[in-house]
């Protein structure tokens, strides 16, 4: 099927589209005029992570095709908590913490979107500006009557919690009504016509489309993206070391680059389409590579994804650091620039007396605890200056320094530079 609008064509061709309320109508609208579209982000940390990246790239695509994106931060709804995909209630946050998190979310988004006052510039909108003013009885009378408990109980976000016998508070049950109201408010304030989100948000999005039709007689549209998991079935953006954060203070650029460099072979083509802006014909050539040559495609993916998130210089430094770290045997190379490696600074005086290697693995973040560090050593996964560490009692001292630094590794993929200061 051919599409009139560049927006819908790329949504389909790049694999962003899972469901839509009226794709033909949306296509016609986007072909004839600039539209405004939004995605909501809950404020649960001071950075977004790779699990949010499909939505972010979707907003970027909206902007690149000449339309206006809105990133809605849930300063109001975060106080309630979205039950979608959750097995337990979310911890409620105070206003000061929410403000810190919202600032961090904006930093994540600014790497991908152009914010400003122009007709195609992105907007950051906080739904707390209208939710905090709601009068409860008036809200229930005006909007609550458009929602039936019978239908709300059929939504996956609710049904799965009940099936698992996990508690679902009345506070969280209100979330879907509030999200529907968000869409109505954005339509009224900014002429927002499209809400997008993950496939688990389908019910909430449809609620907003229907609420606007019933209350204001507006025609709005909804679209969802497929659930993005890795080829192994794991949730996107989750690793053994934790979330893959977008902001530098949460995760160094080298580790971000490494995440993309080490994706499963089966994910390369799909991730190139979703998380880079390379032409589709170039992506087709890259994903057609076989065997060891596919590593070239993974490096392109890592370079492009890191460039979008962290900038050209950070991507180049991370790639240079990777070349410095990995020789043909997977060890530390004598060539290249390791400046992009995550660095932990340690007072030189501590090297004079010696630091237990398990303590140092924990201190650099290569192991979450000293116990995990010892298990890493027993399993043969710890390396010091590319030499395997077999002794849990090893004391790292000035003899291990090469100049003023050393390299500590957990397996073949995670490395930290330790510098004496």
């Amino acid at each position: 099927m051919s599409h009139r609008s560049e927006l819908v064509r790329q949504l389909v061709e790049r694999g962003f589209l899972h469901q839509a309320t009226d794709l033909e109508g949306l296509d016609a609208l986007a072909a004839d005029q600039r539209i405004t579209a939004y995605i909501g982000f809950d404020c649960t940390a001071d950075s977004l992570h790779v699990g949010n990246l499909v939505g972010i790239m979707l907003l970027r695509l909206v902007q690149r095709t000449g339309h206006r994106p809105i990133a809605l931060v849930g300063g109001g709804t975060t106080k309630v908590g979205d039950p979608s995909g959750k097995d337990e209630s979310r911890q409620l946050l105070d206003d000061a913490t929410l403000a810190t998190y919202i600032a961090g979310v904006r930093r994540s988004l600014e790497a991908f979107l152009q914010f400003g006052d122009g007709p195609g510039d992105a907007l950051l909108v906080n739904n707390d500006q209208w939710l905090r003013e709601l009068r409860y009885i008036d809200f229930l009378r005006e909007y609550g009557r458009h929602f039936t408990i019978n239908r709300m109980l059929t939504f996956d976000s609710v049904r799965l919690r009940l099936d698992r016998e996990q508690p679902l508070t009345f506070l969280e049950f209100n979330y879907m009504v509030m999200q529907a109201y968000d869409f109505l408010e954005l339509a009224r304030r900014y002429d927002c016509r499209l809400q997008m989100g993950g496939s688990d948000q389908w019910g909430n999005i449809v609620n907003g489309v229907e609420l606007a039709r019933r209350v204001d007689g507006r025609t709005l549209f909804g679209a969802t993206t497929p659930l993005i998991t890795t080829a192994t079935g794991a949730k996107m953006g989750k690793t053994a070391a934790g979330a893959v954060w977008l902001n530098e203070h949460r995760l160094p650029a080298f580790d971000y680059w490494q995440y993309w460099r080490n994706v499963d072979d089966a994910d390369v083509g799909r991730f190139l389409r979703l998380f880079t802006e390379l032409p589709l014909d170039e992506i087709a050539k890259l994903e057609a590579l076989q065997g060891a040559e596919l590593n070239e495609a993974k490096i392109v993916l890592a370079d492009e994804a890191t460039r979008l998130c962290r900038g050209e210089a950070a991507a180049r430094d991370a790639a240079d650091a990777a070349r410095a770290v990995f020789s043909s045997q997977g060890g530390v190379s004598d060539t290249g620039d390791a400046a992009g490696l995550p660095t932990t600074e340690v007072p030189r005086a501590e090297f004079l007396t010696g630091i237990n290697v398990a303590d140092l693995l924990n201190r650099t973040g290569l192991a979450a605890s000293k116990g995990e560090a010892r298990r890493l050593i027993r399993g043969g996964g710890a390396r010091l200056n590319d030499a395997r560490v077999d002794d849990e009692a090893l004391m790292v001292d000035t003899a291990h320094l090469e100049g003023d630094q050393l390299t500590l590794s957990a397996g073949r993929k995670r490395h930290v530079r330790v510098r004496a200061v």
Side-chain angles (χ1 to χ4, degrees):
M1 177 182 176
S2 60
H3 303 286
R4 290 179 55 204
S5 71
E6 183 70 7
L7 173 61
V8 171
R9 185 180 67 79
Q10 291 206 37
L11 286 178
V12 173
E13 290 182 352
R14 287 192 170 265
F16 282 104
L17 191 64
H18 178 61
Q19 290 173 291
T21 56
D22 177 8
L23 188 61
E24 186 175 343
L26 174 62
D27 186 37
L29 185 69
D32 293 338
Q33 65 184 74
R34 173 183 281 122
I35 66 169
T36 298
Y38 96 93
I39 292 177
F41 298 92
D42 277 339
C43 308
T44 54
D46 61 355
S47 171
L48 297 177
H49 52 76
V50 166
N52 302 118
L53 199 51
V54 170
I56 296 172
M57 291 300 292
L58 197 47
L59 288 179
R60 184 176 170 90
L61 178 58
V62 166
Q63 191 165 53
R64 284 199 302 116
T65 54
H67 305 284
R68 182 172 64 163
I70 291 179
L72 182 72
V73 290
T77 43
T78 299
K79 297 175 183 177
V80 175
D82 181 3
S84 302
K86 308 293 189 302
D87 287 332
E88 58 187 24
S89 299
R90 176 179 291 158
Q91 180 181 0
L92 300 183
L93 304 175
D94 58 50
D95 288 341
T97 301
L98 272 173
T100 299
Y101 287 178
I102 289 171
V105 168
R106 184 181 180 100
R107 284 194 297 273
S108 297
L109 294 168
E110 284 176 334
F112 296 87
L113 301 173
Q114 177 64 49
F115 287 89
D117 299 322
D121 287 340
L123 300 176
L124 187 76
V125 179
N126 186 348
N127 64 10
D128 193 47
Q129 62 183 283
W130 56 78
L131 292 180
R132 68 169 176 259
E133 302 296 335
L134 290 178
R135 295 168 60 88
Y136 187 61
I137 299 299
D138 293 341
F139 180 74
L140 289 180
R141 285 172 60 89
E142 182 68 20
Y143 305 106
R145 60 192 176 90
H146 296 290
F147 298 83
T148 67
I149 297 296
N150 312 60
R151 186 158 184 265
M152 292 166 79
L153 288 172
T154 67
F155 293 149
D156 285 346
S157 58
V158 173
R159 182 176 52 79
L160 290 175
R161 284 276 285 275
L162 297 178
D163 288 348
R164 294 169 182 164
E165 298 185 354
Q166 297 285 351
L168 177 70
T169 68
F170 181 69
L171 188 65
E172 292 171 291
F173 199 64
N174 276 271
Y175 185 93
M176 61 187 73
V177 182
M178 291 183 176
Q179 183 170 322
Y181 183 68
D182 282 346
F183 199 1
L184 179 61
E185 279 290 333
L186 288 171
R188 289 171 170 174
R189 293 170 183 240
Y190 303 101
D191 194 26
C192 182
R193 304 294 295 275
L194 171 64
Q195 181 185 358
M196 304 174 293
S199 57
D200 60 336
Q201 295 296 316
W202 177 248
N204 291 337
I205 291 173
V206 170
N207 276 341
V209 171
E210 293 183 354
L211 181 65
R213 177 180 58 80
R214 292 172 181 171
V215 174
D216 282 3
R218 293 175 183 266
T219 300
L220 302 183
F221 300 89
T224 62
T225 59
L227 176 64
I228 306 298
T229 58
T230 65
T232 62
K235 192 172 183 180
M236 181 73 186
K238 293 291 186 181
T239 69
V244 181
W245 299 101
L246 302 187
N247 291 3
E248 180 73 26
H249 79 281
R250 281 279 200 159
L251 186 75
F254 177 82
D255 288 339
Y256 190 80
W257 190 95
Q258 281 292 316
Y259 172 77
W260 297 105
R261 169 61 181 82
N262 294 315
V263 300
D264 192 278
D265 290 358
D267 289 326
V268 174
R270 183 167 56 116
F271 286 2
L272 281 167
R273 281 186 286 275
L274 291 170
F275 303 119
T276 80
E277 293 170 353
L278 294 175
L280 292 174
D281 56 352
E282 185 176 340
I283 292 173
K285 294 175 184 176
L286 288 168
E287 68 177 329
L289 297 175
Q290 299 293 322
E293 289 186 341
L294 190 57
N295 287 329
E296 297 176 22
K298 293 183 181 182
I299 290 172
V300 172
L301 171 62
D303 286 346
E304 291 296 312
T306 306
R307 181 182 61 79
L308 285 172
C309 183
R310 303 297 180 83
E312 190 75 44
R316 184 174 57 250
D317 288 346
D320 288 345
R323 283 192 293 271
V325 170
F326 300 114
S327 68
S328 59
Q329 288 76 37
V332 175
S333 170
D334 293 329
T335 62
D337 178 10
L341 277 178
T343 300
T344 298
E345 294 185 344
V346 175
R348 181 174 290 276
E350 294 188 40
F351 288 102
L352 297 176
T353 56
I355 310 167
N356 178 262
V357 66
D359 289 339
L360 195 56
L361 284 164
N362 175 222
R363 189 163 167 180
T364 58
L366 290 173
S369 64
K370 293 178 184 178
E372 181 180 309
R374 288 190 286 269
R375 289 191 292 273
L376 180 68
I377 294 168
R378 292 179 205 134
R383 303 183 78 82
L384 174 60
N385 292 332
D386 200 33
R388 176 170 159 165
V389 177
D390 294 312
D391 183 6
E392 298 174 31
L394 173 69
M395 301 300 287
V396 182
D397 56 27
T398 53
H400 296 100
L401 293 174
E402 298 175 351
D404 65 348
Q405 64 189 37
L406 58 85
T407 303
L408 202 60
S409 307
R412 294 290 185 179
K413 298 179 180 179
R414 299 177 58 220
H415 311 271
V416 170
R417 180 176 59 176
V418 179
R419 185 163 59 200
V421 294

